[in-house]
Amino acid sequence: MTTIRSHGENTPGPGCPAQYTRLYEPVPESGRDALWTRLREEHGTVAPVEIEPGVRVWLLLGYQENLTVLQQPHLFSRDTRRWREVVEGRVDLSRPSFSWRPNALYADGAEHTRLRTPIVDALGRVDMAATERTVRRIADELVDSFVADGRADLVSDYAAHLPVLVINSLYGLPDSYGHMLGDITAIVFDQDAKRGEEGVARMHQYFAGLVARKRNRPGQDLVSWMLQHPIGLNDDEVAHQAALINNSSHMSSTHLIGNTMWTLLTDPRIRTAHTEALVSVQALLDHVMWSNTPFQTLLGRIARQDTHLGNAQIRAGDALLLGFAPAHLDPSVQRDEPENDTGIAGGSRAHLMFGAGPHACPGRELARLIASTGLSVLHERLAGLQLEVAPGQLRWAQSPFLRGLHELPVTFVPAAPEGPRSPEPGPRVRKAAATGPEEPEDLLDRLLNWWRGLRG
Ligand code: HEM
């Protein structure tokens, strides 16, 4: 029987940190699954952990506890400014993993609905068939850039670029802007705080410039649709929601593609089943989101009032770390029967990777489309694909929140590039007409010039 604990009362104070499992410590190559199981044995379905030295949160290990928290916004707020550590000045919210921004993700109640509705409606207008062609075109062009070499890093040469280029195309911009946005996003998520700050400032310029351009010249794209939405978000609000779309989709989709390729390259049973069309790409993605989930944990909710959860006594202002990976290992949802012949985990469609409740991911169909099309293109174009190094030599991200590879070096049979599929919408036309006045340089142009200067 586990005793009831709370951060403030029954648990050891700051002088006795041993009780708090340190999630920031190095991750074993095999992943954290053994740790999740040990924590469940020691604490039940909710465990006290540290995500940085001295930064304590409750980790939700139970499947039902995660669902309960996600689905009860009246008890658990998304507004990280309510976190006691923030209120009392011990944590600042300027980093990507501990942040607050004026966007739908961090809003509750009516404000959440006001900010989320234009996002959902704009994503609902995306032509998925046309987008599939765009994903395929971008994926083919990325493959073209390395296919003749017979080797590539599928993370840095492929998976890190595909999602951001697709989202950029849904903003109605040529690929060059997408490459710039990819670089800026990488800086934002950089471990180096100084570089991260610079990235945030550049990203703000990108989205402010994008919104200003779309305000002047609307098109058929996500930002124009959000600007035209009857809810009436102002330009700054639209810029923040557009940034949220990019930030939510980038790392998660990159690591979904990377972890799925890793699964195919290291699990011969699944690879054979996939090659023989016994397992669809969608089933493969569900398997990876269940058993090798890119979002292991997510700093996600702040208790609005004192409450019990599992064996823990939560106090108002405590932070809860959603535990997607631990939830998927919860014995209450693990299937007793062995995995079927294909190697795919039973029940994997019940994964929580896209969240649940009012904040559930509005981009999940798009995420699946990007990942599945991206994987199909690799499957079709790279013959004889295999890992270039032993699996044990691969480096996994050390973040307590993510499971993703730094690089995935592979070899394959070299082939000739296939060449551009359809011309990229060319650089912005600067002269409106032969006789018209030259269009002034805008913020996005200036940012693109800065970025081109950096790349030499
Ligand atoms: C594999 C890829 C993806 C994963 C695993 C993922 C996962 C999630 C999760 C778990 C949440 C909820 C967070 C919470 O409740 O605190 C979320 C929210 C969100 N996601 Fe995704 N996402 C992915 C891709 C995308 C894409 C492609 C888009 C858009 C094109 C997108 C847009 C959003 C937005 C706007 C939110 C905030 C919704 C709200 O707070 O109401 N995501 N995502």
Side-chain angles (χ1 to χ4, degrees), residues 97-112:
S97 42
F98 304 166
S99 56
W100 179 88
R101 301 260 188 285
N103 65 35
L105 185 62
Y106 298 101
D108 293 325
E111 178 65 354
H112 173 239

Side-chain angles (χ1 to χ4, degrees), residues 70 78 104-106 112 116 119 123 167 170 222 241 244-245 248-249 252-253 256 289 294-295 298 300-301 322 324 352-356 358-364 366-367 370:
L70 286 165
R78 193 62 182 86
L105 185 62
Y106 298 101
H112 173 239
R116 178 180 165 102
I119 300 176
L123 287 171
I167 297 298
L170 295 175
L222 289 177
Q241 309 324 304
L244 168 65
I245 290 175
S248 308
S249 56
S252 48
S253 305
L256 179 57
M289 288 192 270
F295 277 159
L298 181 69
R301 298 296 184 272
L322 297 164
F324 300 134
L352 298 174
M353 263 290 297
F354 291 121
H359 288 274
C361 179
R364 53 189 175 274
L366 200 53
I370 295 170

Side-chain angles (χ1 to χ4, degrees), residues 36-99:
W36 307 141
T37 302
R38 178 171 67 73
L39 283 174
R40 196 187 318 277
E41 283 163 10
E42 286 173 10
H43 301 278
T45 52
V46 180
V49 296
E50 282 190 351
I51 48 179
E52 271 190 9
V55 179
R56 295 168 178 181
V57 300
W58 294 108
L59 169 62
L60 307 182
L61 298 155
Y63 187 90
Q64 191 51 52
E65 282 71 13
N66 276 279
L67 262 188
T68 300
V69 167
L70 286 165
Q71 290 173 335
Q72 302 210 41
H74 57 289
L75 292 178
F76 304 103
S77 166
R78 193 62 182 86
D79 187 343
T80 39
R81 294 171 303 176
R82 290 170 171 265
W83 185 8
R84 190 180 320 100
E85 298 301 297
V86 174
V87 173
E88 295 178 3
R90 287 185 294 277
V91 162
D92 79 87
L93 291 174
S94 59
R95 287 166 294 169
S97 42
F98 304 166
S99 56

Side-chain angles (χ1 to χ4, degrees), residues 253-270:
S253 305
T254 293
H255 291 312
L256 179 57
I257 296 171
N259 291 4
T260 306
M261 285 311 298
W262 175 83
T263 302
L264 286 171
L265 290 163
T266 56
D267 189 329
R269 197 159 56 132
I270 292 187

